[in-house]
């Protein structure tokens, strides 16, 4: 989460650290500028992003399709201030870093992490291919964001782009 922790990890022999998903664009840049060790950041997040909430899915076993029927993505009946309503109380949302790949590369990020454990294999394959295409094009296209817009499927635009679910924007 900060340069002092990363320096300690380096002293202990660690070669690469995965920064916590709460890190902002500015914090990642600052850490990369220190050039302490290899840095890995989250590029695609399929999690609820509440520590411990992943136990609701990963410890339950079974086959889980892209957030359908998973407790951390479920709509819950919630009571607050005497009022009852529905909420995705355990879900901090899906986040995507496709548009930021070029900038993260400039900062010195070495690895982009795609979270997808126990998700639909076809969905993860689609996501990995999309990120690979974007990574390959990050230096070839002067109009990177326009290129990204041209390669993402319509369902991706609906979930991420339209809802401004950009992780590092």
């Amino acid at each position: 989460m900060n340069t002092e922790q990363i320096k300690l990890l380096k002293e202990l022999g660690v070669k690469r650290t995965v920064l916590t998903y709460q890190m902002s664009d500015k914090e990642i840049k600052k850490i990369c500028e220190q050039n302490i060790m290899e840095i890995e950041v989250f590029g695609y997040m399929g999690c609820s992003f509440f520590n411990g909430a992943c136990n609701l899915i990963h410890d339950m076993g079974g086959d889980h399709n892209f957030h359908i029927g998973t407790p951390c993505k479920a709509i819950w009946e919630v009571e607050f201030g005497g009022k009852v309503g529905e909420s995705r109380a355990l879900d901090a949302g899906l986040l995507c870093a496709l548009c930021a790949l070029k900038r993260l590369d400039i900062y010195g990020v070495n690895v982009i992490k795609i979270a997808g454990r126990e998700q639909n294999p076809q969905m993860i394959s689609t996501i990995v291919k999309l990120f690979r295409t974007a990574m390959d094009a990050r230096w070839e296209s002067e109009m990177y964001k326009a290129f990204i817009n041209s390669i993402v499927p319509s369902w991706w635009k609906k979930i991420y782009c339209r809802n401004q679910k950009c992780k590092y924007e």
Side-chain angles (χ1 to χ4, degrees):
M1 291 184 69
N2 60 55
T3 55
E4 297 308 313
Q5 289 175 327
I6 295 171
K7 287 176 184 175
L8 173 64
L9 291 172
K10 184 174 183 167
E11 288 177 23
L12 296 172
V14 173
K15 303 285 185 214
R16 176 189 300 156
T17 187
V18 181
L19 299 182
T20 181
Y21 50 77
Q22 292 96 343
M23 300 289 288
S24 71
D25 180 73
K26 290 178 183 177
E27 291 169 319
I28 292 169
K29 182 179 180 183
K30 183 178 176 182
I31 286 174
C32 286
E33 286 172 346
Q34 300 296 314
N35 200 25
I36 301 167
M37 69 171 65
E38 286 188 10
I39 299 295
E40 183 171 337
V41 300
F42 284 84
Y44 170 82
M45 288 73 118
C47 299
S48 64
F49 307 112
F50 285 104
N51 289 332
C54 60
N55 293 330
L56 290 172
I57 181 173
H58 299 300
D59 290 345
M60 291 172 64
D63 183 29
H64 304 288
N65 283 328
F66 194 65
H67 312 307
I68 297 171
T70 57
C72 55
K73 295 291 179 182
I75 298 173
W76 294 85
E77 185 175 290
V78 178
E79 181 179 343
F80 182 75
K83 296 181 181 179
V84 176
E86 292 185 341
S87 172
R88 293 187 187 272
L90 299 177
D91 185 12
L94 298 166
L95 299 170
C96 164
L98 268 179
C99 292
L101 292 178
K102 188 172 185 175
R103 188 171 62 255
L104 293 169
D105 194 27
I106 291 169
Y107 293 167
V109 169
N110 303 95
V111 178
I112 302 295
K113 184 177 192 68
I114 297 174
R117 176 179 43 178
E118 294 186 16
Q119 292 185 18
N120 179 302
Q122 290 80 18
M123 178 65 70
I124 293 302
S125 175
T126 299
I127 293 165
V128 169
K129 287 175 186 173
L130 184 58
F131 269 81
R132 177 77 267 161
T133 301
M135 290 295 293
D136 291 344
R138 71 192 181 282
W139 295 113
E140 297 170 15
S141 175
E142 290 182 29
M143 304 292 287
Y144 181 71
K145 284 191 179 185
F147 172 76
I148 295 299
N149 191 46
S150 74
I151 65 168
V152 297
S154 58
W155 63 265
W156 189 281
K157 291 177 186 177
K158 182 179 178 184
I159 294 171
Y160 299 104
C161 305
R162 187 179 76 187
N163 293 315
Q164 298 178 345
K165 297 289 187 176
C166 304
K167 172 64 177 144
Y168 302 112
E169 292 294 310

